[in-house]
Amino acid sequence: MTTTRGLRDADAPITMLTAYDAPTATIVDEAGIDVVLVGDSMGNAALGYDSTLPVTFDEVASRTAAVARGTEDALVVADMPFLSFGVDEAESVRNAGRLLKEANADAVKIESGPHTVSTTRRMAEVGIPVMAHLGLTPQHVNRLGGYTRQGTDQDAAEEIIDLAGAHADAGAFALVLEHVPANLAGAVTEALDIPTIGIGAGPDCDGQVLVINDAVGLGEWSPPFAKQFGDVRGEMVDAVEAYREAVTSGEFPAEEHSHVEEELGDLY
């Protein structure tokens, strides 16, 4: 079973994918993926929202529990949704603890900033493993003005490096770097003793993460830094259309899909 310590000591690059339900989590786990992230990306990928902001704590908790039930070996990390942390430290710790205690997550992920260093430290002190997240933080989309690359000037890059170090010192066991220049991600990776996991951050991180919809080709669109390794959407369209045609033509259900009980008497 993958552990937070195992990630730090891993020789091979770390693999991470999102999942939002038990069947998907089982597939991801059986494929040997190291970390399953129950991301608040479920807002866009599974719940029909336009962003991650509407995702509730209860939605994350429910789906984390489902993913945990479908996972045996991978580390299950639950995203802390918007306003479930960072407002009040005691409430932040309590919410994170519930994801471990009630939803069986192994760790939580926090979209990080200067305001989350003390929260990360406190969570680590009480035994809650924290994965930090810097660069593009989608919960801050209204402040950032869109889903744009971060750390592109000297001041912004140095701030990310400083914040990465501060969260590592506070006890974070890993760091996600999203949509930042590859050379910045490489510098952060070189500076830290904890592993970095990149998404749109180049090849020099200690691992990579993608949203499952992007990786398997389920969505209608994917970001430019993602790669589709399948065409699940196309396969589903073909299967659903074939089902509809089989029903309307009378081909399905066929005799082998039905059962006649000969011992029943005259029913009509």
Side-chain angles (χ1 to χ4, degrees):
M1 179 176 178
T2 304
T3 64
T4 57
R5 175 61 62 180
L7 291 185
R8 184 175 297 191
D9 298 337
D11 294 326
I14 297 163
T15 55
M16 184 161 81
L17 280 172
T18 66
Y20 316 110
D21 56 64
T24 304
T26 298
I27 292 170
V28 170
D29 185 53
E30 291 178 349
I33 296 298
D34 298 311
V35 184
V36 180
L37 173 65
V38 190
D40 64 356
S41 51
M42 68 178 69
N44 310 78
L47 299 177
Y49 298 139
D50 292 331
S51 72
T52 65
L53 298 182
V55 176
T56 68
F57 179 86
D58 287 343
E59 286 169 334
V60 170
S62 174
R63 288 180 176 264
T64 298
V67 166
R69 289 191 290 270
T71 304
E72 291 187 3
D73 296 320
L75 189 79
V76 176
V77 179
D79 237 339
M80 297 284 289
F82 184 56
L83 295 184
S84 69
F85 68 99
V87 179
D88 176 82
E89 187 169 288
E91 182 181 11
S92 301
V93 174
R94 190 176 300 112
N95 285 338
R98 286 184 60 196
L99 289 174
L100 270 64
K101 188 172 183 178
E102 299 173 17
N104 289 324
D106 298 309
V108 298
K109 182 175 76 64
I110 297 176
E111 292 195 7
S112 306
H115 64 296
T116 63
V117 174
S118 63
T119 303
T120 297
R121 179 176 292 106
R122 183 59 183 148
M123 288 183 182
E125 287 173 348
V126 300
I128 301 171
V130 177
M131 177 179 285
H133 180 166
L134 292 170
L136 174 60
T137 47
Q139 292 177 15
H140 299 156
V141 62
N142 291 331
R143 177 179 63 82
L144 297 174
Y147 299 98
T148 56
R149 185 179 288 110
Q150 301 297 302
T152 56
D153 62 59
Q154 194 68 28
D155 289 343
E158 290 178 0
E159 181 182 15
I160 288 174
I161 293 173
D162 290 344
L163 283 172
H167 283 84
D169 291 343
F173 73 89
L175 170 68
V176 170
L177 289 167
E178 181 170 358
H179 209 18
V180 300
N183 49 335
L184 171 57
V188 172
T189 301
E190 182 68 24
L192 298 185
D193 292 329
I194 64 172
T196 61
I197 301 173
I199 176 168
D204 294 327
C205 294
D206 296 305
Q208 299 292 327
V209 59
L210 283 178
V211 171
I212 187 69
N213 296 36
D214 298 332
V216 303
L218 180 58
E220 296 182 274
W221 173 89
S222 62
F225 53 72
K227 178 178 179 179
Q228 294 186 349
F229 295 86
D231 183 22
V232 169
R233 181 180 178 83
E235 292 290 334
M236 290 181 70
V237 168
D238 290 345
V240 171
E241 289 179 349
Y243 164 74
R244 174 181 54 79
E245 292 171 4
V247 171
T248 56
S249 69
E251 180 184 348
F252 178 83
E255 184 176 350
E256 63 266 28
H257 305 123
S258 304
H259 170 72
V260 174
E261 182 54 66
E262 301 292 349
E263 295 185 5
L264 291 176
D266 189 7
L267 299 176
Y268 53 90

